[in-house]
Amino acid sequence: MNQDSTRKARVNVRRAEVMEQVEKEIQQHYQSELISHIRSAGNVYNLGHTEFFLAREFGFCNGVRRAIDIAYAARRVFPDRRIFLIGDIIHNPEVNRQLEEMGIRKLPWKQLDSSYDRVAPDDVVIIPAFGVPTPFMDALEEKGVQIVDTTCGDVMKVWKRVKNYAAMGITSIIHGKATHEETSATASRALGERGRGNTWWFTIWRMPVSCATTSWAAETARHS
């Protein structure tokens, strides 16, 4: 079957009338009166002899907020359809719990297993803020499902660069967790449109040994 014949057009779920309700839900779920009070007091809170300082940049970043907005909006735009989410929308247990309570079901993100066999063309599949590897997108488009993409704009900028590097025959080196969703998604784009590119990922972490010394460990793995 021709993939173009099954691919559904993307739907804008962030409509004005929808977002008005979504905004109310998000404030109810995630807004803190205490945090609002501390911010209004110059990001400082005094409790007895203890002084608390709130970071100037605190809370959801723009990419995360956008992903949450879209997921909530998708539930309202498609109230009677099954909605699936690949992995976690973001790395926040409370946000993911709220989505599960809204009836949004989970699909595994590490591999395309038999769970995807139950996804039908009438279903909606949400792409998380991290994005997903290209084989996932190809499989979903071939099925003809309705895709709602919440991938962060900054992540997609990286994808554009690694795809351009692959077209020029340049190997991309990714510094990050090899098992992270965003790394996996980016590595798949670094292979290029025809799969001819190369990518290396490089993971580095800190392991404290004592108060005076720090040991560094590094792991490299090749993905081709």
Side-chain angles (χ1 to χ4, degrees):
M1 182 180 293
N2 189 332
Q3 188 170 336
D4 291 335
S5 66
T6 58
R7 181 181 300 167
K8 283 189 172 70
R10 300 294 172 88
V11 174
N12 176 26
V13 298
R14 299 177 78 188
R15 307 165 190 170
E17 68 277 11
V18 173
M19 294 312 298
E20 184 178 349
Q21 297 301 316
V22 166
E23 182 65 29
K24 292 178 181 177
E25 282 185 289
I26 288 178
Q27 286 186 1
Q28 180 183 356
H29 290 169
Y30 308 115
Q31 188 170 9
S32 165
E33 292 184 8
L34 175 61
I35 296 300
S36 298
H37 173 73
I38 297 175
R39 279 177 171 160
S40 66
N43 286 34
V44 180
Y45 179 70
N46 291 290
L47 182 63
H49 298 292
T50 305
E51 194 171 40
F52 297 89
F53 293 89
L54 181 68
R56 205 175 271 116
E57 300 297 331
F58 180 85
F60 297 140
C61 68
N62 291 333
V64 164
R65 177 57 193 265
R66 174 181 171 275
I68 297 172
D69 281 352
I70 293 174
Y72 273 61
R75 180 72 282 177
R76 287 187 167 274
V77 172
F78 305 107
D80 301 321
R81 290 168 69 174
R82 294 196 307 173
I83 300 182
F84 294 90
L85 167 65
I86 300 179
D88 293 336
I89 189 78
I90 60 171
H91 287 159
N92 184 304
E94 176 58 22
V95 174
N96 292 305
R97 184 187 68 80
Q98 293 286 357
L99 295 180
E100 288 179 6
E101 288 191 356
M102 292 162 61
I104 296 177
R105 314 176 189 198
K106 285 282 191 74
L107 287 170
W109 68 268
K110 291 186 177 181
Q111 60 182 356
L112 283 163
D113 61 17
S114 59
S115 302
Y116 286 81
D117 294 341
R118 61 194 172 111
V119 179
D122 289 336
D123 293 332
V124 178
V125 177
I126 299 176
I127 308 300
F130 318 107
V132 296
T134 51
F136 285 71
M137 296 299 292
D138 292 342
L140 294 173
E141 289 177 348
E142 186 176 350
K143 277 180 171 289
V145 304
Q146 181 66 63
I147 295 175
V148 175
D149 196 349
T150 77
T151 304
C152 174
D154 289 336
V155 172
M156 289 191 284
K157 288 179 183 177
V158 175
W159 291 355
K160 183 177 180 180
R161 294 184 69 175
V162 297
K163 285 193 289 187
N164 287 338
Y165 292 151
M168 294 185 287
I170 298 174
T171 296
S172 296
I173 299 176
I174 303 171
H175 179 194
K177 291 183 178 179
T179 56
H180 192 283
E181 298 97 321
E182 191 174 320
T183 306
S184 179
T186 301
S188 72
R189 269 78 183 180
L191 297 177
E193 297 293 338
R194 299 181 181 179
R196 295 178 179 175
N198 292 307
T199 179
W200 286 73
W201 59 67
F202 181 80
T203 305
I204 188 166
W205 67 90
R206 176 180 290 177
M207 183 184 301
V209 177
S210 68
C211 294
T213 63
T214 300
S215 173
W216 290 85
E219 173 193 1
T220 58
R222 185 173 181 179
H223 177 79
S224 61

